[in-house]
Amino acid sequence: MTGGSIDGHALALVLFVAFVSVSLLLCGLAAADSDDPEQFYTGSATARPAASGLAVAGDYISVATLLSTTGSVALVGYDGILFAFATVLSLTLLAVVLAKPLRGRNRFTLGDLLSQRLGGRQVRVAMGVAVLVTVLPLLVVQLAAAGEIMTVMLDLPEDALTGCTIATGALMVCFAASGGMRGTGYVQILKTVVLVAAVLLLAGLVLDRFGWNPFSLWDAAADGSGQGAAYGTPGLQFGDSAAGTLDLIGFHLTLALGAACMPHVMMRLHPMRPGRHVRATMGWAVGAVAVVCAGIVVVGLGAAALVGAEVLRAADPAGGTALLIVTAALDPGVAPAHSVLFAFVAIAVFATTLAAVAGIAVAAAASLAHDLAPAARRRDRAAGLPETGRARRAVLAVGAVAVLLSVLAQHRNPQILFSFTFAVAASAVAPVVILTLFWPGTTARGVRWALYGTPVLTAVLMALSPATSGIPTALFPDRDFHVFPLQTPGLITVPVGFALCVLGSRWRPRRGDGPGGDPGHWAAAQRPAAESGNRP
C-alpha cells in the first residue's frame, strides 16, 4: 500500500474527527436514558449478544494488549506468544467461571455484589478503595499513551504532548459523563470493529510479504530477533534462571486472574440476561479477542522479521512502539505522516486507548460515587435527586486526577503501572470475588483483610523489584536498589490474597462482635436489603 494521491496526514485528521464525532453522537444518544442509575452504571440489559460481546471485548482489550504484547512477540518470541494466549485464556476463564454468578438485578458495582452477599457498609467501602487502587494506574497509563498516539497521528511536535494528553482526558470525561457505561459500550463496539479491521489488515500485509507461509515468517522473525533457535523457547522475557522461571509463571498467573477480574470488565456483566444470552455474549467477546490476539502475534513476528530487534529496542527497550514501526515498514517510501496505512492503524490504536479510558473512568466514578459516599447517597435519595448527577461529578474528579498524574508520568516507562494494576486485580479483587461467590464461609472481615492488605504487600514488593530499578525497562533504569528478585510478585501476592481472605473469615475475636464473630458474616446476606444497607 502506498500513499498515492491521498495524503495520510489529511486522512488521519478526517478519521480522528470522524471517530470523535461518531463517539460523541453515540454517547449523546445514550444520555437520554442515563439518568437511570442502571443505564449509567451498567448499560442496557436488552442489547443483543453480538453487541454486548463486542462491548465486553472492547473493555477487555487495552493498549497494553495491543502494544506491549506486539512488542513482546517481536522481541522474545515464544514468551510473547504465551502472553497473547494467556490474554485469551483469561477472558475464557471469566466467561466460563464468573460470567453467570456476576449477573444480578440492582447490582451496579462489585461493592454491591459484596454487600448483597455479606451485608454491611464496610465491605462496600473496602471494595471501592480496591477498585480505585486497581483502575487508577491503568487509567493514568492509557491517558499518557493516548496523548502520545495523538501527537504521532496528527504529526504534532513533541512539546504538544501535554496538550494532547489534556485533550484526551477532556474527551474521556465527555464520553463517560454523558453516556455512562451504556454510551461507552457503543464506543467500545465501534472501537472493536475498527481494531479488528486494522489488525487483520496488518496481519494480511505481513503474511503477504512472506508468500502467506507462516514458517517462512517464523524463520525470518527468529533471524531478525538475533536470538536464533532460542526465539522459539521460553525464558527470553525473564531469563532462564530459577528466578526467571518463577517470574514467568507468576506473570501468567497474574495476567490470567488479573485481566479476568478487572472491575470495568466485570461491571459490564451485571445486567446480562441468564442462559443462552450470557453464553452467546461471552462467545462473541472471546472470539473477537482471539482474532485480535492472533493478529497481534503475526504482526509481532513481522516486526522482528522486517525491522529487527535492534531497531525496536533502540526505539523502546520494552518494544512498545513495535506496532507503529512495523506499520511504517509495510508502507515503504512513504513517511509515516503521509502514509494512509499508518493513519488508519494510528486511529485504531487511539480508538482503543480512548474507548478503554472512558470505560475505566465510569468504573472508577461508580466506586467513588456509589460505594465510597453512602451519606451522600442517602441525602440524594431523601431529596429525590438522581444518583447519576453525583456520578458525573465523580467522573470529572477522576478525570482531573488522572490527567494530572498522566502529565507527571510522561517519558516514564509505564510497564510498572500495568504490572501493579494486574497484580492488585489478581491478588486482591480476584480472591475476594471468587471466594465470595463460591465459598459460603467468606465473611466481611476476611474480605477487608484481603482488600486492604494485599495491595500494600504488592506495592512494597514491586518497589523493591527489578521492575522499579536495575534493568533497562525499569521505572528507574539508571539505578539499582532492588532486593526482591521477581519483576511480577503475583506468585507470592495471589496466594497471600486468598490466604488473607480465608484466615480473616475464620478469625474469631472476642465475644460481642456480631454473628459468627463478624458483623459481616455470610448469614447477614439473609437480612432484608434495607436492613443491611445494601440497596444500590
Side-chain angles (χ1 to χ4, degrees), residues 8 14 24-25 29 50 52 104 148 266 273 276 315 319 375 378 388 391 404 409 433 456 467 497 504 520 524:
V14 171
L24 288 173
L25 175 62
L29 292 174
S52 297
E148 293 177 359
M266 290 193 287
R273 297 193 298 270
R276 290 181 298 175
R378 290 192 295 269
T388 51
L404 176 61
V433 169
V456 174

Side-chain angles (χ1 to χ4, degrees), residues 206-207 210-223 231 298 301 305:
V206 168
L207 288 172
F210 296 91
W212 295 89
N213 186 337
F215 298 103
S216 298
L217 172 61
W218 176 267
D219 292 338
D223 291 339
Y231 192 70
V298 174
L301 294 175

Side-chain angles (χ1 to χ4, degrees), residues 12 16 63 66-67 141-156 161 164-165 168 320-321 323-324 342-354:
F16 173 76
V63 71
L66 191 60
L67 300 183
V141 173
Q142 303 233 73
L143 271 180
E148 293 177 359
I149 294 297
M150 184 185 289
T151 58
V152 172
M153 178 177 59
L154 302 180
D155 195 26
L156 298 175
L161 178 58
C164 289
T165 303
T168 303
T321 57
L323 178 66
L324 296 179
F342 191 88
F344 178 58
V345 173
I347 194 64
V349 176
F350 180 78
T352 297
T353 310
L354 184 58

Side-chain angles (χ1 to χ4, degrees), residues 443-534:
T443 68
R445 178 176 290 105
V447 165
R448 294 195 304 271
W449 282 23
L451 291 178
Y452 289 134
T454 317
V456 174
L457 176 63
T458 302
V460 171
L461 291 181
M462 293 204 69
L464 301 176
S465 75
T468 301
S469 67
I471 60 176
T473 57
L475 182 64
F476 301 105
D478 299 329
R479 304 182 64 185
D480 188 358
F481 49 83
H482 81 275
V483 293
F484 180 68
L486 304 182
Q487 296 181 47
T488 306
L491 206 57
I492 293 176
T493 56
V494 170
V496 167
F498 280 97
L500 284 176
C501 193
V502 171
L503 292 175
S505 297
R506 292 186 175 276
W507 182 264
R508 294 294 181 264
R510 67 181 186 275
R511 294 179 178 272
D513 280 350
D518 189 348
H521 193 269
W522 174 272
Q526 307 303 319
R527 291 182 242 158
E531 180 185 345
S532 299
N534 63 356

